[in-house]
Amino acid sequence: MSKLLIVGSIAFDAIETPFGKTDKILGGAATFIGLSASQFNVSSAIVSVIGEDLPQEYLDLLSEKNIDLSGVEVVKGGKTFFWSGKYHNDLNSRDTLITELNVLANFNPVVPSNFKDADVVMLGNLHPSTQLSVIQQMEKRPKLIVLDTMNFWMDSELPALLKVIKEIDVITINDEEARQLTGEYSLVKAAAKIQTMGPAYVVIKKGEHGALLFHDEHVFYAPALPLEEVFDPTGAGDTFAGGFTGYLAETGNISFENLKNAVIHGSNLASFCVEKFGTQRLEDLDKQEINQRLLQFKELTQFDIQLQ
C-alpha cells in the first residue's frame, strides 16, 4: 500500500457564515487533508503539533480513519492553534477575526521513521522553512511532493518560499496568489513562470469557479460542481488537496493524464466539505455518494461535438 505523508495544522476553528456560526470546532489543514485522503486505499500519517486542550475525541476521529498520528506532537500545557473568521454574503471573501498560533509558533516537525519513505508528501500551508525541513528528513525522494501556500508567506517569507518551491513537483495556490507570486495577471503566464521556479505542475484554485492544472504547454480545467447550498467554505482547498494526493498515492501514476483525474477527485470531495460546518460532512461520507457525485462531474464535463 502506498504511503502518504501529510504535514499541516490540526486546529480549532470558529466560523461565522450567513447561515450560522460555531464555537470552537475541529479544523486545520492536516485535518481536512487527512479526512479527504482517507477515502482512498493509502496508508497515511499526519505530522503536526497540538496543545493539551484538543479533545481526545478529535484525535480518535482521525485514528478511526486509519490515519497514523505518531507524528503529532502534544505540547504539555500548550494551547492548540486557533483561527476565527467571518464570511461575507457571497462566501467568496472572509475576514479573519482571530489568529492564535500558540504551539504552532515553535513547531519543528519530526517525520515518523516508518513514513520517511513515503511515496507522496503533501505539505500543507505552513512556514516555508517548516515545509523544507520535512523534505530534508525524507530518506529518499518521494514520487511526488505537493505544496500548498498562501499570500501571507509571499509577503513575509518570499526567499524561504522560493527555496522550498524549487524542491517540489506540484504547487496548489489560488488565482490571487498566483498573480502575486509572479506579477502576471494572465493565469497562463503566471503558471508558466511558476514552472520555471521548480514545480512541473501548477494547480490554480478558483473557488466556486473550479481549478486549473498546468504542465508545460498543457492546460486542464475542472469546474466546481454547482451546488444547491454552500454552507461553509472553510477547508475546501485542503479537502481538494487531500483528494488530489490521496488519489495519486493510491494509483501511483503521476502522468499529466492521471493528474487530471486527481483534480476531479479533489474537486469532488471539496464539494462535500462545503455542505456543512467544518469537518462534519467529511466525517460520515460513504463510497456510494462519492461515486454518485463523480458521475455528476462526468455528466457536467463530457460531451460529443461534431465539427463542420
Side-chain angles (χ1 to χ4, degrees):
M1 187 183 295
S2 293
K3 293 181 180 180
L4 169 63
L5 180 67
I6 301 161
V7 186
S9 59
I10 297 174
F12 287 121
D13 287 343
I15 303 157
E16 182 175 352
T17 78
F19 308 106
K21 62 189 299 186
T22 72
D23 293 322
K24 284 185 176 182
I25 58 173
L26 177 62
T31 303
F32 285 100
I33 294 167
L35 289 173
S36 181
S38 72
Q39 296 296 334
F40 301 90
N41 185 30
V42 296
S43 176
S44 61
I46 287 177
V47 174
S48 190
V49 61
I50 58 174
E52 285 188 308
D53 56 343
L54 193 84
Q56 183 62 39
E57 65 189 86
Y58 290 166
L59 296 176
D60 292 343
L61 168 67
L62 297 171
S63 295
E64 287 163 7
K65 301 291 185 182
N66 297 314
I67 300 170
D68 185 320
L69 300 181
S70 61
V72 177
E73 177 189 359
V74 182
V75 179
K76 289 186 177 181
K79 293 176 66 178
T80 301
F81 173 58
F82 172 54
W83 175 84
S84 175
K86 180 178 181 179
Y87 286 87
H88 298 178
N89 285 335
D90 65 357
L91 295 177
N92 287 321
S93 56
R94 69 188 184 193
D95 297 321
T96 293
L97 305 178
I98 302 170
T99 301
E100 296 176 359
L101 290 177
N102 297 328
V103 294
L104 197 62
N106 299 307
F107 177 40
N108 292 307
V110 178
V111 177
S113 57
N114 58 326
F115 273 84
K116 288 187 175 182
D117 61 348
D119 302 280
V120 177
V121 173
M122 177 65 226
L123 300 170
N125 176 30
L126 291 169
H127 193 292
S129 297
T130 302
Q131 294 172 321
L132 185 61
S133 75
V134 171
I135 297 173
Q136 293 169 340
Q137 291 178 56
M138 305 305 291
E139 289 177 350
K140 63 174 185 178
R141 198 189 191 289
K143 280 185 181 178
L144 199 72
I145 302 174
V146 184
L147 177 142
D148 187 35
T149 191
M150 67 182 299
N151 50 6
F152 176 79
W153 304 119
M154 297 173 197
D155 291 334
S156 62
E157 297 288 346
L158 185 58
L161 178 60
L162 293 174
K163 187 174 181 181
V164 70
I165 285 175
K166 283 183 182 178
E167 305 298 325
I168 64 169
D169 303 296
V170 185
I171 186 170
T172 67
I173 53 177
N174 68 31
D175 44 2
E176 176 190 344
E177 292 157 352
R179 290 175 172 128
Q180 178 175 340
L181 184 59
T182 62
E184 297 285 355
Y185 184 80
S186 160
L187 294 180
V188 175
K189 289 182 178 179
K193 188 172 282 189
I194 292 171
Q195 287 179 74
T196 68
M197 300 175 184
Y201 301 95
V202 178
V203 177
I204 298 180
K205 299 173 289 186
K206 293 171 61 65
E208 65 174 332
H209 303 297
L212 289 157
L213 169 68
F214 297 88
H215 173 61
D216 292 335
E217 302 300 317
H218 304 289
V219 185
F220 174 70
Y221 170 68
L225 194 70
L227 299 170
E228 288 187 12
E229 288 188 320
V230 176
F231 205 76
D232 171 24
T234 309
D238 295 312
T239 303
F240 170 91
F244 180 81
T245 52
Y247 175 80
L248 291 172
E250 180 182 84
T251 59
N253 179 349
I254 55 173
S255 66
F256 179 71
E257 290 303 311
N258 203 47
L259 262 75
K260 291 181 184 180
N261 291 326
V263 169
I264 294 294
H265 279 274
S267 299
N268 188 48
L269 286 163
S271 74
F272 289 104
C273 175
V274 302
E275 292 182 330
K276 289 186 178 180
F277 274 123
T279 61
Q280 291 176 1
R281 191 67 176 90
L282 298 178
E283 294 172 18
D284 56 4
L285 268 180
D286 63 57
K287 285 291 183 185
Q288 184 177 355
E289 57 185 339
I290 291 171
N291 289 337
Q292 284 176 342
R293 194 163 285 186
L294 277 172
L295 289 175
Q296 289 180 260
F297 264 98
K298 184 177 180 181
E299 292 171 3
L300 185 68
T301 56
Q302 289 198 347
F303 58 90
D304 294 319
I305 189 167
Q306 292 183 340
L307 298 177
Q308 299 297 323

